[in-house]
Amino acid sequence: MSLLSTLRARAAVVPTRIVDAGFALLCYVLMAISVGAHTETQPLSLLLIAVATLPLIWRRRWPLPVTAVCGVGTVSLTLLDRLGDLPYSQLVATYTLAAFSGPLARLLGVAGTVIGIGVSFIGHQEKLVQLPIVALLFIGAYALGTATRARHDRIALLEERNRRHAEEREAAAARERERIARDMHDILAHSISLIAVQAEAGPVLVRADPARAERVFDTIGETARETLTQLRRTLGILRGEAGSRAPQPDLDGLAALAERAREAGLAVAVEERGDKRPLPPELGLAAYRVVQESLTNVVRHARAKRVWIRLDWAPDQLGVEVRDDGRGPGGAKPGGGHGIMGMHERVGAVGGALRTGPGPGGAGFQVTATLPASLDKDQVRG
């Protein structure tokens, strides 16, 4: 606990103790006046009144012991016929017991109060007419304490609910930040890698193949414009702009993705098996990003010449496979970025699984994602 929190807690305790001391003093004065109005005030009476009232200073901390001690003092005054009008302190103790004690303490307190009332009326047959009034007073004090406890429980429940909601909002915000970071990484890493490769090849192609060089520079421009569009959309989410989430890339953009990779010098083959069908936006985006990030890694690290992209459509799932003929897992630079980790997070967020490793026979590198065919909103984790 911080120093500021400790000071605040102590500041909250001090007024409570002052209030309880005030209650104890008020009950002492009232009972002393009441005793003095009926009998001659004696030191023993003042001592028993102190026993019946002063423990109220600690009533919130130890409600059951305080109720018991106050009860001993009150019953003693009653047996000596020096109680006066009302058992003020015992009513306050009963209220406190109902408001701040647990079930067992309340049960013991009620039993002790009933016994104390019974002992107080033994040998005072002339006062039995007051028993219903006394019982109603104690029942009323206990009911008020029960209502206070219920209110405290409701407040605690609302505070706990608010705390959980705040944690859920923080977790949702963290997941959104992670999702945006993945999107930014995928967009920038893929586009800048392609632009860099094509820009490096541009001067050579200008001399050797001007027509192809023109296409390469056109592709650079298109890639840059598309990157800016996607960045504006992603940053729009941060600013809370309406419609920033749509439209997101999906498998319909796979052909353009493959074509840009071809312009970067890769021989890309795309194959689909099974019956293609529409996917929920989250799944379509996850599949697109897996292919995009895989192609980015091929361009940046693999030194590959060929890439094979395959989609396997099954009734209950979609398989996405990207394989190259490059240097394989050992060819990647140490600490070479967060691309594979981001793919694992993205696929896992929609309930899928991702495997990465050497291609068939240990040649090249292969990324295989298995995605569900449908998606529950509760499944999406960010």
Side-chain angles (χ1 to χ4, degrees), residues 31 45 48-49 52 72-83:
M31 292 180 70
S45 299
L48 291 175
I49 292 172
V72 170
T74 302
V75 171
S76 299
L77 287 169
T78 303
L79 293 178
L80 294 176
D81 200 17
R82 297 178 183 177
L83 179 61

Side-chain angles (χ1 to χ4, degrees), residues 32 66 136 169 281 305 332 337:
V66 166
L136 284 175
R169 287 193 297 270
K305 294 181 179 180

Side-chain angles (χ1 to χ4, degrees), residues 192-229:
I192 299 302
S193 296
L194 291 181
I195 289 173
V197 170
Q198 292 165 340
E200 289 171 355
V204 177
L205 292 175
V206 166
R207 293 188 295 269
D209 189 348
R212 186 180 173 190
E214 185 176 348
R215 292 197 302 272
V216 165
F217 287 120
D218 287 343
T219 302
I220 290 174
E222 292 173 4
T223 303
R225 285 191 293 272
E226 182 179 345
T227 301
L228 287 173
T229 299

Side-chain angles (χ1 to χ4, degrees), residues 283-298:
L283 290 174
L285 177 62
Y288 178 90
R289 294 298 189 202
V290 167
V291 176
Q292 182 185 53
E293 180 60 30
S294 299
L295 291 175
T296 300
N297 289 338
V298 172

Side-chain angles (χ1 to χ4, degrees), residues 209-262:
D209 189 348
R212 186 180 173 190
E214 185 176 348
R215 292 197 302 272
V216 165
F217 287 120
D218 287 343
T219 302
I220 290 174
E222 292 173 4
T223 303
R225 285 191 293 272
E226 182 179 345
T227 301
L228 287 173
T229 299
Q230 294 191 45
L231 285 177
R232 289 193 191 101
R233 182 187 303 127
T234 303
L235 295 174
I237 295 173
L238 292 174
R239 292 192 293 266
E241 295 176 358
S244 295
R245 289 183 176 273
Q248 291 280 15
D250 56 21
L251 289 179
D252 290 339
L254 193 58
L257 204 59
E259 185 58 33
R260 284 198 296 270
R262 292 188 187 104

Side-chain angles (χ1 to χ4, degrees), residues 248-313:
Q248 291 280 15
D250 56 21
L251 289 179
D252 290 339
L254 193 58
L257 204 59
E259 185 58 33
R260 284 198 296 270
R262 292 188 187 104
E263 292 292 342
L266 289 172
V268 182
V270 180
E271 178 185 1
E272 291 195 53
R273 297 179 181 178
D275 297 327
K276 183 178 179 180
R277 58 189 175 279
L279 288 174
E282 294 88 351
L283 290 174
L285 177 62
Y288 178 90
R289 294 298 189 202
V290 167
V291 176
Q292 182 185 53
E293 180 60 30
S294 299
L295 291 175
T296 300
N297 289 338
V298 172
V299 171
R300 294 174 64 186
H301 306 302
R303 293 185 183 173
K305 294 181 179 180
R306 297 185 62 83
V307 178
W308 295 268
I309 302 172
R310 190 173 74 186
L311 304 180
D312 287 317
W313 296 90

